[in-house]
Amino acid sequence: MKKYTFVTALLLLAGCDITTETLQPPTVQDIEMCQQRIVVKTNYKVTAMSDNSLDNKSKDNRGWVYVNYQKDNNRGYLKFRCNAAYVEVWAAGAAMWTSL
């Protein structure tokens, strides 16, 4: 117990902030890569896609890239998200993310 107290005190004295957020919002390249991965999996047009800036800016969603797809004839949006391993679509009826 003394060891952990000493290490914690040392980190605090050294100015180490262990709560610092290391993940940043996605870059333009991240968004474009996610769009390309969605196109490969779904054959949807990239021109009908846009970044979901609200979800992309949220600290709770770091590590994911969020993209909206505008359905034909303005029938609403499909929400997609990508990370290094997955491409997922929001299944509104089931209220969950589904992997493609």
Side-chain angles (χ1 to χ4, degrees):
M1 185 66 175
K2 289 182 180 181
K3 177 182 175 184
Y4 297 113
T5 306
F6 175 74
V7 170
T8 303
L10 184 62
L11 287 173
L12 290 173
L13 289 174
C16 179
D17 184 6
I18 35 182
T19 62
T20 300
E21 180 68 45
T22 57
L23 295 174
Q24 298 297 317
T27 64
V28 172
Q29 291 84 8
D30 294 333
I31 294 167
E32 289 173 354
M33 181 62 71
C34 182
Q35 290 173 335
Q36 292 302 322
R37 291 176 64 200
I38 293 168
V39 167
V40 167
K41 296 216 178 249
T42 65
N43 291 325
Y44 289 154
K45 297 179 218 167
V46 132
T47 55
M49 294 182 195
S50 62
D51 74 314
N52 184 333
S53 60
L54 182 66
D55 285 335
N56 283 332
K57 289 178 183 174
S58 173
K59 287 186 178 184
D60 295 333
N61 297 330
R62 297 294 160 86
W64 291 93
V65 178
Y66 289 81
V67 173
N68 289 333
Y69 173 76
Q70 174 70 48
K71 294 181 186 178
D72 293 335
N73 300 322
N74 292 323
R75 293 182 295 139
Y77 287 95
L78 291 175
K79 289 177 66 172
F80 291 93
R81 72 179 184 177
C82 307
N83 68 10
Y86 299 102
V87 175
E88 298 179 339
V89 63
W90 178 251
M96 62 184 275
W97 289 99
T98 304
S99 184
L100 297 179

